[in-house]
Amino acid sequence: MSAGDGGRVAPDDGRVQRTQIDGVPVFTAGGRQRTTAALVFGVGLRDETFATIEVTHLVEHLAMAALPRTHLRCNAVTDVDSTAFFATGRPEAVGAFLEGICRALADLPTGRMTAEAGVLQAEGCGTGSSTVSALWAARYGLAGPGLTVSAGPGPEHLDEETVRAHAARWFVRGNAALWCHGPLPSGLRLPLPAGPRPARRTPVPRPQDGPVWTRTDAPGVGLLLATDSPADAALAVGVDVLQERVRERARHASGLSYAVDSLILDLAADRREVAVVVDARTGRDAEVAELLWASFAQLCADGPAPEEVAHAVAGLEAELDDEDAAGTELADAAYCAAVGLPFRTAAETLAAWRAVTPAAVTAALRRAEPTAVLTVPDTATWDGPDPRVPRRPLCGVLPALPEGARFRPPLHRRLLDPAARVVLVVSEEGLAHRDADGDVHGIPWSRVEALVPTEDGAGVSVVGRDLCAVTVHPARHGRRAVAAVLAAATSRVPPSLLLGRPVAAAAELAAV
């Protein structure tokens, strides 16, 4: 029986209870006089494509814009793998907010698309400056979480059909969950559209048979590890020990860094990505990268000391003893229900950590070592951590230009401007470009994510899944080059990836 039909409500002792309202799983706990609740959906930036980046965020904005003005504390957030609408206040006001969101998602006010697209542009959330985003992009390119490295073509390229289709697929009962801390609103309804949880694509990582390092345009240094056992407590403890070692050495001992953070992303029940991110003083990124890698390699080789493992467990115990721990567990339970991942209670997690031994941590880190990706800013003067750890270019680099139709700027421009000493090759297999530094980048037609018109409409930017982007323009390559690219793309790239110019504003393509 669901709560909306007269089922049980949250107890007053703070224990987590599960019920259901209108087919949506609901997780509740008492212990508060006011109500904080969040409606969570298993959809985020990872479920978009380069051509549709910001579509989930736009749906979120449209739903919020449909509600009447209120003094209720409420907001919404779109993350890499989930979207949540939340509010805090009197139970009846929170209930009205949640029901209003559900009704708005069933019939979005798409007449506000132009205005809300402008709000998204002003908000400026799409950015390639995150170290974690750069790590994900180094692993997956412009797919899944790697999409967060780019702002995409811009929300002004999204049309009503695309937005409504996205909402109809993802913002449904089968892909939602609610958590509520405090009194559950009486008679609460969640009139979401019917529909099952969509099958989520798990992005395919770039081939890798050992640790690699790369340069990115993001600040800070990062280390990314993958595991097919998300429940592996030993790896979680090992990452905690790694953070403590780096924090002690980089901050306290040498003053090179301020913060050492980590972030976990479960892409599927058998795929977890764990990122460790370290900021650095200006000009000291190479030293921090060396320190991070040396600390990781030493742990893989020798393992942690027993007291380091005990310290990690004590830290989790203190975290779970926080007064907001019950709310965190509620949010975790709803998140797992919405995205279709197994949920482990705080007690289960703590018991697993307490059972971890130093030998288990060593084994877990050694299993993860071949998946390691180390990133360092491209401004750092550094040759890598170890000759046995090769540098892997961030984008699709070719050893030489392939055969095909060649296009170059006029001779007088090449003579006067070193930046104009570039070559474009258009072939049946794809597009290739040699830049002014002599590096050759290739984009196979099968790996094209979008063709975006330039701001003046005269040229086109071709964006590849492997993080290469080539702008072809008459002023640089000549009209014949633009025509050749468009002709080749028209017959080899899906029409949905050939973007037109937006009606309301010019396109803004993020550099990738």
Side-chain angles (χ1 to χ4, degrees), residues 61-70 72 74 85 96-105 109:
H61 268 243
L62 290 172
M64 291 291 288
L67 302 183
R69 291 185 180 181
T70 177
L72 180 71
C74 59
F85 301 87
F97 167 81
L98 295 171
E99 183 172 341
I101 287 294
C102 292
R103 297 193 184 282
L105 289 169

Side-chain angles (χ1 to χ4, degrees), residues 313-389:
V313 174
L316 180 62
E317 291 172 339
E319 181 181 331
L320 297 181
D321 195 40
D322 187 86
E323 61 181 356
D324 291 327
T328 300
E329 185 161 352
L330 274 174
D332 287 346
Y335 164 80
C336 289
V339 302
L341 291 174
F343 170 65
R344 287 173 284 276
T345 66
E348 291 170 336
T349 300
L350 182 56
W353 278 47
R354 285 171 171 165
V356 168
T357 64
V361 170
T362 308
L365 289 172
R366 288 176 179 174
R367 286 194 300 270
E369 185 180 18
T371 74
V373 177
L374 179 71
T375 62
V376 63
D378 52 20
T379 55
T381 303
W382 197 50
D383 294 325
D386 186 305
R388 295 167 295 180
V389 180

Side-chain angles (χ1 to χ4, degrees), residues 1-11 15-29 176-180 184-185 188 190 330 333-334 337:
M1 180 181 293
S2 71
D5 294 327
R8 64 185 178 214
V9 297
R15 289 177 299 163
V16 174
Q17 297 286 312
R18 175 170 177 156
T19 184
Q20 193 176 86
I21 297 176
D22 295 328
V24 177
V26 177
F27 299 86
T28 60
L178 175 74
W179 63 265
C180 179
L184 186 67
L188 176 64
L190 299 173
L330 274 174

